């Protein structure tokens, strides 16, 4: 009985130990499971936070503003019409093809023009083929560049800052000491001058002759073989000289130049164009009593009009020598052949023969003299 009781106690103890071990193992598994669940929740919450975050990751290549080439298309600075026959338009940084955007027909273009308010601010990117909407600042910049203005708003009339003034300042602009060559003559220049003087004295160096400066102008409507001087200078026509004053214009003219009352009345009745003189001679005792000429300004004005409006031309005068008008008689030697010897003599008439009639055979002649004697 005792042995049986001891065995039962041992078995009870071993069973209790096993139960305690099994309970401790179950507790550890629960702790591990709870830790794994907490880690999963933490990771899940972090992923949710990242998904809910509205600020995307900044990629420095997406916003590259380089003017040389678009970093999204790595084909380089080449004519993009080379890709007109292909489906793609270039390659990205990973070497993948960049497909062209879908183009609509003319109806889509018209609807986009009518419905899209940003149509007039949209330009096409040649590198990617996509439409880019320009902002107001970019449009303003383009307009300023087209008009030849500054890209940004700058004041072109800002006050000038006279940095290097003529006034002596307390603090100098620079404290750099003056060079020694600024107050000592240069030995190299002295040697060069002495060499030049020696070469001139020895006759090795002669001063260059002045070139004849030819005029830079030329005749526009003349050929190269004609004279380059202006015809107006060569064919200058001087203005006609004014007639010199005569005795009738004197302040004390002779009595024969003074008009009578009848001549004065006849002069006044004539038209100004028909008068021989434009004034009437008068006599004054001395020169200081002569009044001012009332028609001086008008006559000067008419003289200027004549010089300006009246055309002038050269009259070709024919200078002929009187001896050249006499015809030159030929020399007798140049008139040969002619009869030089007397071969036949017709006798009968002793006076001047007026007419003569010749027979058809040439054997008979019928002359008639002044007295009608045949």
């Amino acid at each position: 009985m005792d042995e049986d009781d001891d065995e039962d106690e041992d078995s009870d103890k071993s069973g209790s130990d096993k139960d305690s071990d099994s309970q401790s193992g179950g507790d550890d598994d629960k702790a591990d499971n709870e830790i794994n669940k907490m880690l999963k929740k933490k990771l899940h919450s972090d992923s949710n936070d990242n998904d809910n975050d509205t600020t995307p990751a900044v990629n420095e290549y997406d916003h590259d503003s380089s003017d040389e080439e678009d970093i999204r298309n790595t084909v380089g600075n080449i004519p993009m019409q080379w890709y007109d026959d292909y489906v793609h338009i270039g390659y990205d940084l990973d070497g993948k093809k960049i497909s062209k955007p879908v183009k609509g027909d003319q109806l889509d273009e018209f609807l986009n023009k009518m419905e899209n308010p940003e149509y007039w601010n949209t330009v096409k990117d040649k590198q990617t083929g996509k439409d880019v909407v320009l902002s107001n600042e970019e449009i303003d910049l383009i307009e300023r560049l087209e008009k030849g203005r500054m890209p940004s708003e700058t004041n072109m009339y800002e006050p000038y800052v006279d940095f290097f003034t003529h006034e002596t300042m307390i603090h100098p602009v620079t404290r750099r000491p003056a060079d020694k060559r600024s107050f000592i003559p240069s030995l190299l220049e002295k040697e060069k001058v002495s060499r030049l003087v020696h070469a001139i004295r020895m006759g090795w160096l002669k001063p260059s002759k002045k070139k004849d400066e030819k005029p830079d102008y030329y005749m526009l409507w003349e050929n190269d073989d004609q004279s380059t001087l202006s015809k107006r200078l060569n064919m200058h026509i001087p203005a006609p000289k004014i007639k010199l004053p005569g005795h009738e214009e004197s302040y004390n003219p002779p009595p024969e130049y003074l008009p009578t009352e009848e001549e004065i009345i006849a002069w006044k009745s004539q038209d100004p164009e028909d008068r021989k003189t434009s004034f009437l001679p008068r006599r004054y005792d001395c020169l200081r009593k002569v009044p001012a000429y009332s028609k001086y300004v008008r006559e000067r004005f008419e003289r200027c009009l004549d010089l300006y409006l009246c055309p002038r031309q050269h009259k070709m005068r024919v200078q002929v020598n009187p001896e050249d008008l006499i015809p030159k008689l030929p020399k007798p030697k140049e008139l040969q052949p002619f009869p030089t010897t007397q071969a036949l003599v017709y006798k009968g008439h002793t006076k001047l023969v007026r007419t003569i009639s010749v027979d058809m055979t040439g054997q008979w002649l019928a002359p008639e003299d002044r007295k009608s004697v045949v």
Side-chain angles (χ1 to χ4, degrees), residues 178-185:
D179 295 330
K180 187 176 180 181
R181 61 175 178 271
S182 62
F183 53 87
I184 294 179

Side-chain angles (χ1 to χ4, degrees), residues 242-261:
I242 304 176
K243 182 182 178 182
L244 296 176
H247 295 290
E248 65 274 4
E249 298 184 20
S250 175
Y251 74 95
N252 189 11
E256 59 270 15
Y257 288 96
L258 295 174
T260 60
E261 295 181 0

